[in-house]
Amino acid sequence: MEKIEISSDTTVAATPSVLPAKIERIQLSNLSYDQFFRNFMQPNRAVVVEGIANDWECFRRWIDRSVVPPKLNVPYLKQKLANVPVPVADCGRQHYNSHEKLELPLYDFFQSWENDDTESNRNRYYLKDWHLRSECAGYEFYRTPSLFASDWLNEYLVEQAADDYRFVYIGPKGTWTAFHADVFGSYSWSVNIFGRKRWYLLPPGEERKLLNSLRNLPFSVTGQTLRDAGVTFFTIEQGPGEAIFVPTGWYHQVTNVEDAISVNHNWFNGCNVATIWSNLRDALADVRREIDDCRDMDNFEKHCQVMLKASFGMDYADFLAIVLYVCDKRLASLGKDVGQVKQIDGYVLGKQHAQFDVVTIRNLLHETIEKGFLDDYPDMRKAAASCLNKILLTSRAL
């Protein structure tokens, strides 16, 4: 198993430097996990990593490169994949702040690619948010890059056999994803295995320059509208085999400037979990304000949590379950002095990385209890306090 390790378990993040003139590009062979951890994850800086997918099965086999130009190898994919319903966005129809969603049989979606039918719905339909990895668990068409292997969200969800945040995107030229920041305020990584994408990427806070009189953000942006609003932004042209690391809170819009296929994950870990927790608390405050006139109803806080999960995608119980699960795994490893914690895709965390995670969770739980963030939820507060006590006892024994 491949170990991912850091040089120190300190939780003090590097101070973000002045924004560079452009997003840095680095060859995978020139970037260690520790460098990525210290220079990009902790300070929340974007980066493009080149040469990251060369050995992936999907990179080698999903594309027919015997023809010019290369194209999707539909016959091969039909051999590997069943004709299951897949989620498709209609980029010609807006539904609130996203594109209209529908389901199509996979082979129907492939039909236009196979026939090169540019006059049909091919240039509107974007297969996206497809959980192919979990739906075909035995088909290892890629491996999570080691840089992104510290992933509390998918570690918990995959090991609990729950829904995950690992996706495949297949879109023809001209399909696009609307202006947004990622779910929960998570990190995301996106690896192109075919074609090219154009990204508009905004550092945190720059999106506020785009708010309208109703405090709403635009559905779509262009380079010109961003410049007109005085927004600091980066334009990235992403080619095959390149990964983009999108940090927490960086709004973005992505367009397929060629037929394109990518593998994407959303995730969080010890570097941004405090931000996820802050975002979750802010979302709960919004819910409480929305239904404040119902505050005297029975089980008001329970109803708030139901609405929080519906709007944010996660409630307090979900978040705490992930944090406590991650903590128990790290403590079990450190208590046995093994110093390695199994991750998805055959990685293990080194001892210092496990210690970093535990210290991060200790600090988060201490602040949560001290500031009363769980006072309205006694059972969750008790579970958090129990975990914190376990951390302190284990720390004394080490």
Side-chain angles (χ1 to χ4, degrees):
M1 289 188 174
E2 183 178 348
K3 183 192 291 188
I4 57 172
E5 182 60 294
I6 54 178
S7 56
S8 168
D9 63 4
T10 179
T11 58
V12 178
T15 302
S17 57
V18 175
L19 286 171
K22 62 181 180 179
I23 299 298
E24 193 171 356
R25 286 178 168 269
I26 306 177
Q27 276 287 336
L28 177 62
S29 58
N30 296 328
L31 183 63
S32 70
Y33 178 82
D34 186 61
Q35 289 171 327
F36 176 70
F37 184 95
R38 300 298 179 193
N39 297 335
F40 298 101
M41 277 202 294
Q42 278 195 310
N44 208 46
R45 291 175 53 204
V47 66
V48 178
V49 184
E50 301 173 340
I52 210 161
N54 296 342
D55 58 347
W56 288 4
E57 194 265 1
C58 59
F59 187 82
R60 293 182 290 104
R61 301 300 304 275
W62 286 15
I63 312 305
D64 182 358
R65 294 185 171 88
S66 67
V67 297
V68 179
K71 66 178 183 178
L72 188 68
N73 192 341
V74 172
Y76 176 77
L77 287 170
K78 285 185 174 181
Q79 291 177 12
K80 300 294 291 186
L81 303 172
N83 189 25
V84 297
V86 292
V88 173
D90 183 347
C91 293
R93 293 180 180 272
Q94 181 177 344
H95 181 70
Y96 296 102
N97 63 346
S98 63
H99 290 118
E100 191 172 287
K101 304 294 196 302
L102 63 151
E103 278 195 342
L104 290 177
L106 178 62
Y107 294 178
D108 287 3
F109 177 80
F110 282 157
Q111 188 67 38
S112 62
W113 289 73
E114 200 166 30
N115 296 336
D116 196 25
D117 184 2
T118 57
E119 299 303 318
S120 71
N121 287 328
R122 181 183 193 274
N123 62 347
R124 289 174 48 181
Y125 285 170
Y126 191 0
L127 195 169
K128 59 191 303 188
D129 297 331
W130 183 19
H131 295 264
L132 177 58
R133 186 67 184 271
S134 59
E135 292 175 11
C136 298
Y139 183 27
E140 297 183 355
F141 55 96
Y142 74 95
R143 186 190 187 202
T144 301
S146 60
L147 301 179
F148 314 132
S150 174
D151 175 351
W152 294 9
L153 180 62
N154 289 300
E155 175 185 352
Y156 172 80
L157 294 173
V158 170
E159 292 176 9
Q160 297 297 305
D163 207 2
D164 62 10
Y165 286 85
R166 303 177 298 170
F167 308 109
V168 169
Y169 283 48
I170 304 177
K173 178 180 178 180
T175 51
W176 58 292
T177 299
F179 186 65
H180 71 288
D182 285 313
V183 61
F184 313 138
S186 62
Y187 295 143
S188 67
W189 61 262
S190 177
V191 174
N192 253 19
I193 63 170
F194 178 54
R196 303 188 70 82
K197 297 178 184 287
R198 177 177 297 121
W199 294 67
Y200 294 133
L201 199 58
L202 282 63
E206 289 297 308
E207 75 283 354
R208 291 195 289 269
K209 297 175 182 177
L210 298 170
L211 291 168
N212 64 17
S213 59
L214 298 177
R215 309 298 292 171
N216 293 323
L217 289 168
F219 176 65
S220 64
V221 297
T222 65
Q224 190 60 52
T225 60
L226 293 172
R227 286 188 290 271
D228 289 347
V231 171
T232 297
F233 71 100
F234 300 95
T235 303
I236 301 173
E237 297 283 337
Q238 180 190 20
E242 296 180 348
I244 290 185
F245 168 62
V246 182
T248 285
W250 285 59
Y251 274 76
H252 50 284
Q253 181 175 295
V254 189
T255 300
N256 295 321
V257 295
E258 298 175 352
D259 293 351
I261 305 173
S262 64
V263 176
N264 299 15
H265 284 200
N266 293 105
W267 95 104
F268 61 81
N269 58 28
C271 293
N272 67 337
V273 66
T275 301
I276 306 301
W277 180 219
S278 176
N279 291 344
L280 186 58
R281 298 196 312 272
D282 288 345
L284 178 62
D286 290 340
V287 168
R288 285 170 168 163
R289 279 193 295 270
E290 187 72 21
I291 61 170
D292 187 64
D293 57 341
C294 302
R295 187 171 289 274
D296 293 334
M297 71 187 297
D298 292 339
N299 298 316
F300 174 77
E301 289 297 337
K302 183 177 180 180
H303 286 293
C304 287
Q305 289 296 317
V306 171
M307 292 181 65
L308 176 64
K309 185 160 187 172
S311 61
F312 191 78
M314 178 190 295
D315 61 17
Y316 274 25
D318 295 330
F319 177 79
L320 196 59
I322 294 170
V323 169
L324 300 190
Y325 180 84
V326 166
C327 188
D328 283 345
K329 281 185 65 178
R330 275 63 172 167
L331 288 177
S333 172
L334 294 171
K336 296 175 183 176
D337 200 29
V338 175
Q340 294 185 351
V341 183
K342 289 184 179 179
Q343 304 290 280
I344 58 175
D345 283 353
Y347 295 102
V348 294
L349 292 184
K351 185 174 182 179
Q352 291 190 137
H353 207 311
Q355 290 173 333
F356 168 85
D357 287 356
V358 170
V359 171
T360 298
I361 293 171
R362 181 197 67 192
N363 295 343
L364 184 144
L365 293 180
H366 182 268
E367 180 189 37
T368 293
I369 292 168
E370 187 177 66
K371 294 187 176 180
F373 295 147
L374 294 177
D375 285 356
D376 290 317
Y377 310 101
D379 290 344
M380 284 189 266
R381 188 186 188 284
K382 181 178 179 181
S386 176
C387 182
L388 181 58
N389 187 56
K390 192 185 306 182
I391 292 172
L392 297 176
L393 291 174
T394 303
S395 299
R396 294 189 191 106
L398 294 178

